[in-house]
Every structure is written in structure tokens, then in C-alpha cells.
Amino acid sequence: MSVSFKYWDECADPEDMEAMWNHPEVRTEWTGAGETEGQRVHLSRDPDGQPYLTQTEMRAVAEIVTRRQFDKKLDPEMICAIAELESNRQPLAMGCDKKTNLITIGIMQVAPKVAEWIVREEDYLLFPVEEDPDILYKPFVNVYFGAAYLRWLSNFDGKIRTEEFVVRAYSGGTKKVNHKSTLPYWKRYLQVKECYLSRFLYSSYKFSI
């Protein structure tokens, strides 16, 4: 793999870094880890040396993206839970479907072909994924495309869809929403989402007292 990140600043634009520093919980976490605003911020690494986003960072990215580009019409907890299941919040994660040979990239395991389709469908030219698919490794870019796909699924075929439909379709495609193969994913999603909700409700309580 030619893409590698050591610092947040290598995979996030200055505007994104400013938004992260302005997030109270991220600021608390980063300063507690010895990071200094205006200096490069280290990405956390797992025991294998792979970079990952902390749950606090993941939540912040989801909140910033949904507020900035989706007018808060998507649930940040849904994005966080899916990112947990898809990649363990690892921006450099890569997958490949053995049956279709479809490559998926990044935190939300977005397929470059899906991202290219979203660019054409939404006429969204901010992220030139066709010219440089490696930008999908960047957390804010990847979460944008994952969220855009979730939004599309939520109104699939012009119908307002349930959370279960959206999540199971994200995992296995719209044709396998009711197939037994996507049910375990849905159950794990509910468990992970509940953990996120509990964690951040507690964090919000701490910040309010």
C-alpha cells in the first residue's frame, strides 16, 4: 500500500483540523494526550502499528460531516457504528469482495466505483475521486461518501426506508436486505450503536456539570 498517515494533518484539510480542534471532546482528548494546537497531531495506532480514529475522533468527524454537508439529516451514531463494523475505524483499511472483486477502502469501506457514481449523481466535485481514488483513505472524504450512500439508501426507490433497511443494504446491497446473510450485521450494528449512545450520553453529562 502506497498510502500512509502518521499525523492527522496528512489526511485532513486545515478546515477539517480547525473543526476538530473546535470540538470540545476532541480538544480535551488531544490536549490530554500532549497534542498542541498549531502543531501536527499524531494518529493513534493499534498494536499492529495501524492508524485508527478514537471513538471520540470518529464521533467528531461524523458530526462535522453531517452538519456541514447533510444539514444534520443523517444520524452520526449510524455512521460511527458502521465505521466500527466495517474497519474498526482504520482509515487505511482495504477490503475485497471475493465474488465480485469489488475493492472497498477506508473507514466506511467505500468502493471507489460507488464514490465515482455519487460524484456523477450528486454533481459533487469537491472530492475528485475519479482522478485520485486514494483520497478515499482520508477520514473526512471517506465518511462523506459513506454518508452520501446512506442518504441514498434511506430514500431508495423513492420510498422512505427504515434504519434496518439502510444498514442491511449498506452491508449486502439492496437485494439482500431481507436475506439471512445481512441479519448478523444488523444485530452487531445495534449493539455497537448502543455502546456509542451510552458513551456519548455519559460524556455529554460530564461536560454539562
Side-chain angles (χ1 to χ4, degrees):
M1 181 187 301
S2 59
V3 180
S4 64
F5 302 130
K6 182 177 181 180
Y7 301 100
W8 260 100
D9 310 67
E10 296 171 343
C11 58
D13 295 336
E15 179 187 6
D16 300 330
M17 292 302 296
E18 181 180 1
M20 291 292 278
W21 274 110
N22 287 337
H23 192 285
E25 292 174 25
V26 171
R27 176 177 289 274
T28 297
E29 183 172 272
W30 282 0
T31 55
E35 305 292 352
T36 303
E37 189 170 4
Q39 303 294 320
R40 293 192 295 182
V41 177
H42 292 81
L43 282 160
S44 298
R45 293 189 176 272
D46 66 16
D48 295 323
Q50 291 299 314
Y52 70 92
L53 273 62
T54 66
Q55 289 186 331
T56 299
E57 291 168 339
M58 185 66 234
R59 169 66 184 241
V61 171
E63 288 180 351
I64 293 165
V65 169
T66 54
R67 181 179 68 246
R68 183 190 290 167
Q69 281 137 338
F70 297 95
D71 195 28
K72 299 183 180 180
K73 293 180 180 178
L74 284 173
D75 181 4
E77 281 80 18
M78 173 186 283
I79 293 171
C80 290
I82 288 175
E84 194 87 26
L85 293 175
E86 292 291 332
S87 70
N88 286 323
R89 294 171 271 114
Q90 294 183 354
L92 300 183
M94 178 184 288
C96 180
D97 188 304
K98 294 180 180 179
K99 292 183 179 179
T100 64
N101 290 322
L102 186 68
I103 300 294
T104 53
I105 290 175
I107 286 179
M108 297 189 72
Q109 289 295 280
V110 175
K113 289 184 178 180
V114 171
E116 291 169 10
W117 170 77
I118 289 171
V119 168
R120 293 192 298 270
E121 186 79 6
E122 302 288 335
D123 195 27
Y124 193 75
L125 304 178
L126 180 61
F127 303 130
V129 69
E130 289 185 280
E131 300 171 15
D132 182 16
D134 284 350
I135 64 172
L136 286 173
Y137 290 108
K138 296 183 175 182
F140 278 90
V141 177
N142 195 278
V143 169
Y144 165 76
F145 282 109
Y149 185 47
L150 288 171
R151 183 179 64 176
W152 180 79
L153 289 171
S154 69
N155 196 39
F156 178 70
D157 268 355
K159 300 177 182 178
I160 297 175
R161 300 294 180 168
T162 65
E163 182 178 8
E164 181 175 358
F165 178 98
V166 172
V167 172
R168 293 178 71 170
Y170 194 95
S171 171
T174 55
K175 293 182 179 179
K176 291 188 176 180
V177 166
N178 296 314
H179 193 271
K180 62 181 181 180
S181 62
T182 59
L183 183 58
Y185 188 93
W186 166 244
K187 291 181 177 179
R188 293 198 308 273
Y189 164 84
L190 291 175
Q191 293 172 344
V192 172
K193 185 180 179 184
E194 180 61 30
C195 289
Y196 261 96
L197 285 170
S198 298
R199 170 186 168 86
F200 286 100
L201 282 174
Y202 176 68
S203 297
S204 298
Y205 171 74
K206 285 201 302 180
F207 272 93
S208 68
I209 59 176

